[in-house]
Amino acid sequence: MARALPQINTKFKGAVQKTEQEKKIAELQAEVEQLRAVSAPELEAEIEKLRSQIQQSSGEVEVDVNLIDPNPNQPRQTITGASIQNKARLLKKHGQITSVILVPYKDNRYMLLDGQLRWEAARFLGWETIRAVIVPQPQDLEQSSLLTFLGFEDLNPLDKVEAIIKEIVKTTDFEESEISTTLATVIKRIERDSKVKELAKLIDVSSEEQQQGLSELKVEGAEQDMFLILLELGLNPVSFRTNLMPMLSLPQDLKKAIRSNGLKGAHALALSTLTATSLKVLEDTALKERAWATDKVLKKNLTVPETRALIKEIKAKYLKKEKTESKEIKVVIQKINVLTQGTIEGASTEQLTELKELLEQKLAAVNQALN
């Protein structure tokens, strides 16, 4: 990604203020000592509550895994059994290195803001608790989740684009079906004005400068709202349209391969060219060829160029090389058409015999070529 995402700092501002934490801890510890001095048994429950507050204020706390719920609107929709087992092996070998991030939920429960794979792996291992940092719930939980997940390199492009589209629909007046067309129209206008570089520069400036820059590029109103969302997420709108938007049009079998088998986006786009139309075959045949090619790409871990070479081989099986029209044949056809019945009847027997033999030889060659 081109830059850090400044919005994340403001979303969790209340969670990592070191000086304020230390002050709060000192106050809580003093309160515990006052309660201890009273030595009243009925105050033990209150002391335990304060101990819990001290743990939370210090940054990390052990949370019962059964009190945690996944975020239903998180961008990562792809968590396979294999990925959970891989993460479980790492947790078992190295322990939990990074805390999960939770927000207070309801009925004394917590919702995951970051760390679902670690949480799933901990449950797989039978852990009773997991180390967590509890932060205040952001005003916009969905956008905070999106900002968090966009920083992960392993977030697949399909999950990423679907989450971004959802954010655009929620924040602007656009319907999902309008986004692609509007984005393409505005970018084409910017390209026509040779202002693409000016658009790319807006990724690294403040929100105010982004808004001013878009106005100078004649991107106003609802169009500007859409572009501001992409820029806030650290995305170049041109790159988003070229590299991510096509993911939405992939056939279902390739979307499943991305989510379940880890197929890369660039490979999926290449494989998507194996269609019934391009191969000039029935849909079932095209699907079988695409499934076979996808399986080979995954098993052999093919690069994108290698994948394209494989696709070229498959297409060569179905598509015969188109032959250009022969000028010589065209001339011969014209001359034969000139031969009238009178011309033929007026020729000698020797000429007609020679013509017949020649035509029969050429007719045999034509049949062979056609077959």
Side-chain angles (χ1 to χ4, degrees), residues 244-351:
L244 288 179
M245 285 297 293
M247 296 293 133
L248 298 175
S249 302
L250 289 173
Q252 289 302 318
D253 58 298
L254 292 178
K255 287 183 177 180
K256 183 178 179 181
I258 289 175
R259 289 198 163 111
S260 302
N261 306 111
L263 181 68
K264 302 298 183 183
H267 295 78
L269 289 176
L271 290 165
S272 69
T273 62
L274 293 174
T275 64
T277 302
S278 68
L279 297 179
K280 297 182 180 179
V281 296
L282 296 176
E283 187 63 44
D284 286 348
T285 302
L287 182 58
K288 288 178 182 178
E289 287 290 356
R290 201 162 59 232
W292 177 85
T294 301
D295 185 62
K296 186 169 183 178
V297 168
L298 292 169
K299 286 183 176 178
K300 299 290 186 180
N301 196 24
L302 299 184
T303 64
V304 173
E306 288 171 340
T307 300
R308 289 175 179 153
L310 175 63
I311 292 168
K312 188 176 180 180
E313 291 176 9
I314 294 172
K315 288 182 175 180
K317 292 192 305 181
Y318 293 94
L319 304 177
K320 294 181 180 180
K321 186 177 181 181
E322 295 293 333
K323 296 181 180 179
T324 58
E325 189 177 79
S326 169
K327 293 182 179 179
E328 290 82 359
I329 297 295
K330 186 175 182 179
V331 171
V332 171
I333 293 173
Q334 290 174 343
K335 288 183 177 181
I336 291 176
N337 283 330
V338 172
L339 291 176
T340 64
Q341 186 66 27
T343 302
I344 294 173
E345 290 176 353
S348 67
T349 302
E350 290 79 7
Q351 281 183 315

Side-chain angles (χ1 to χ4, degrees), residues 150 157 160-166 168 179-180 183 187 226-227 229-231 233-248:
L150 283 180
K160 183 180 292 187
V161 68
E162 287 180 345
I164 294 169
I165 292 296
K166 184 178 180 181
I168 292 174
I179 294 174
S180 178
L183 195 62
I187 290 175
M226 181 195 301
F227 274 63
I229 289 173
L230 295 175
L231 292 170
L233 295 173
L235 299 169
N236 184 332
V238 176
S239 178
F240 174 71
R241 177 198 166 218
T242 303
N243 300 321
L244 288 179
M245 285 297 293
M247 296 293 133
L248 298 175

Side-chain angles (χ1 to χ4, degrees), residues 62-73:
E62 291 288 333
V63 176
D64 188 331
V65 294
N66 295 316
L67 294 178
I68 299 172
D69 295 316
N71 178 0
N73 297 310

Side-chain angles (χ1 to χ4, degrees), residues 148-163:
T148 302
F149 275 88
L150 283 180
F152 295 166
E153 293 181 359
D154 64 339
L155 183 63
N156 73 59
L158 184 57
D159 282 356
K160 183 180 292 187
V161 68
E162 287 180 345

Side-chain angles (χ1 to χ4, degrees), residues 88-237:
R89 281 195 291 270
L90 292 174
L91 286 181
K92 187 174 182 180
K93 182 177 181 180
H94 303 290
Q96 184 185 352
I97 298 174
T98 307
S99 301
V100 300
I101 300 177
L102 307 175
V103 295
Y105 186 31
K106 60 183 179 180
D107 300 328
N108 295 320
R109 299 185 66 81
Y110 302 95
M111 181 184 293
L112 276 162
L113 184 61
D114 170 40
Q116 181 164 344
L117 188 56
R118 275 162 281 161
W119 172 66
E120 296 276 14
R123 294 202 303 165
F124 178 83
L125 291 171
W127 288 9
E128 294 182 357
T129 64
I130 190 170
R131 198 167 70 252
V133 173
I134 300 174
V135 301
Q137 181 164 319
Q139 291 182 351
D140 189 335
L141 181 60
E142 289 185 25
Q143 188 183 49
S144 297
S145 300
L146 180 56
L147 288 166
T148 302
F149 275 88
L150 283 180
F152 295 166
E153 293 181 359
D154 64 339
L155 183 63
N156 73 59
L158 184 57
D159 282 356
K160 183 180 292 187
V161 68
E162 287 180 345
I164 294 169
I165 292 296
K166 184 178 180 181
E167 178 69 15
I168 292 174
V169 170
K170 187 190 73 174
T171 310
T172 70
D173 295 329
F174 285 107
E175 297 292 333
E176 183 174 333
S177 58
E178 300 173 323
I179 294 174
S180 178
T181 303
T182 303
L183 195 62
T185 300
V186 177
I187 290 175
K188 187 174 182 180
R189 189 170 70 228
I190 293 173
E191 290 174 340
R192 187 176 61 242
D193 296 336
S194 301
K195 299 290 186 179
V196 176
K197 290 184 178 179
E198 283 75 1
L199 177 62
K201 292 177 182 176
L202 297 180
I203 298 176
D204 297 315
V205 299
S206 66
S207 298
E208 292 75 14
E209 291 173 306
Q210 287 174 348
Q211 188 171 357
Q212 181 180 350
L214 289 173
S215 296
E216 292 174 357
L217 293 174
K218 302 177 183 177
V219 182
E220 301 284 0
E223 294 176 350
Q224 185 176 111
D225 293 338
M226 181 195 301
F227 274 63
L228 283 172
I229 289 173
L230 295 175
L231 292 170
E232 181 183 4
L233 295 173
L235 299 169
N236 184 332

Side-chain angles (χ1 to χ4, degrees), residues 31-92:
E31 194 170 344
V32 168
E33 292 304 319
Q34 290 176 1
L35 290 169
R36 279 292 184 196
V38 177
S39 299
E42 62 268 17
L43 297 178
E44 286 298 322
E46 189 66 26
I47 291 175
E48 288 301 318
K49 182 178 178 181
L50 287 171
R51 280 199 187 116
S52 177
Q53 291 181 35
I54 291 174
Q55 279 186 311
Q56 293 185 28
S57 297
S58 65
E60 292 184 340
V61 61
E62 291 288 333
V63 176
D64 188 331
V65 294
N66 295 316
L67 294 178
I68 299 172
D69 295 316
N71 178 0
N73 297 310
Q74 71 148 316
R76 188 197 298 279
Q77 297 297 314
T78 306
I79 298 182
T80 64
S83 64
I84 292 173
Q85 291 182 33
N86 289 336
K87 178 61 72 173
R89 281 195 291 270
L90 292 174
L91 286 181
K92 187 174 182 180

